[in-house]
């Protein structure tokens, strides 16, 4: 989409929302229901879709799927690195 100026705003929203939800989960602990967690994530998705997509990309833009090979490879590499790191930490 080549709309580089909007990237920091979307990342900032995602980080703030994630930290707020995680903070709620830590403070409320096991008393936080699955329904509430799903509802908060649904709310976050609605904000991303209705505000950021419509505001920064436009309502008439349709999503065009791309190959998932590169993101899957990056995720798998990160997963392996985290597992190796966890293995080292458990030995220590």
């Amino acid at each position: 989409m080549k709309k580089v100026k909007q990237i920091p705003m979307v990342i900032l929203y995602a980080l703030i929302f994630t930290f707020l939800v995680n903070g709620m989960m830590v403070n409320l602990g096991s008393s936080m229901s699955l329904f509430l967690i799903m509802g908060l994530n649904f709310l976050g998705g609605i904000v991303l879709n209705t505000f950021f997509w419509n505001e920064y990309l436009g309502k008439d833009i349709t999503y065009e799927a791309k190959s998932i090979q590169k993101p899957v490879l990056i995720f798998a590499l990160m997963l392996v690195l985290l597992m190796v790191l966890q293995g080292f930490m458990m030995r220590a």
Side-chain angles (χ1 to χ4, degrees), residues 75-89:
F75 172 75
L77 186 62
M78 289 173 50
L79 187 63
V80 168
L81 290 173
L82 287 173
M83 290 172 62
V84 169
L85 180 63
Q86 183 180 12
F88 281 125
M89 291 178 72

Side-chain angles (χ1 to χ4, degrees), residues 47-60:
V47 171
L48 278 174
N49 186 41
T50 57
F51 177 70
F52 288 107
W53 186 276
N54 293 339
E55 181 72 23
Y56 293 144
L57 294 175
K59 292 181 180 183
D60 54 343

Side-chain angles (χ1 to χ4, degrees), residues 18-57:
T18 301
F19 283 120
L20 287 175
V21 170
N22 285 339
M24 287 176 61
M25 290 176 68
V26 167
N27 289 332
L28 296 176
S30 61
S31 66
M32 193 167 179
S33 71
L34 180 63
F35 179 74
L36 181 59
I37 295 169
M38 296 295 285
L40 288 172
N41 284 310
F42 185 72
L43 176 67
I46 288 175
V47 171
L48 278 174
N49 186 41
T50 57
F51 177 70
F52 288 107
W53 186 276
N54 293 339
E55 181 72 23
Y56 293 144
L57 294 175

